[in-house]
Amino acid sequence: MNLNAQAQTFSPADYQEYLVEWDDVLTSLRDCSNEFAKENLQMIVERTNFESI
């Protein structure tokens, strides 16, 4: 695959669509990461509360 040739066929609208798609991907990854962190923090809090009983 020739990336230079492929890149030359991108129009400004293609670049905008590409950026929007990557923004969606990165937003989804951030949301998943935040949810994972919340779940882990909740588990740690529950474990700490249980161990202090």
Side-chain angles (χ1 to χ4, degrees):
M1 176 167 68
N2 186 341
L3 295 178
N4 286 334
Q6 185 179 10
Q8 292 172 359
T9 62
F10 267 37
S11 70
D14 292 331
Y15 282 118
Q16 185 62 33
E17 182 179 347
Y18 175 81
L19 292 175
V20 167
E21 288 175 4
W22 269 107
D23 183 61
D24 289 344
V25 168
L26 294 175
T27 298
S28 294
L29 286 172
R30 185 197 65 219
D31 292 346
C32 288
S33 176
N34 287 342
E35 188 62 30
F36 182 75
K38 280 191 244 179
E39 290 173 5
N40 279 331
L41 182 59
Q42 182 63 34
M43 185 175 59
I44 290 167
V45 167
E46 289 171 0
R47 184 178 298 158
T48 302
N49 288 341
F50 178 75
E51 289 174 356
S52 67
I53 295 177

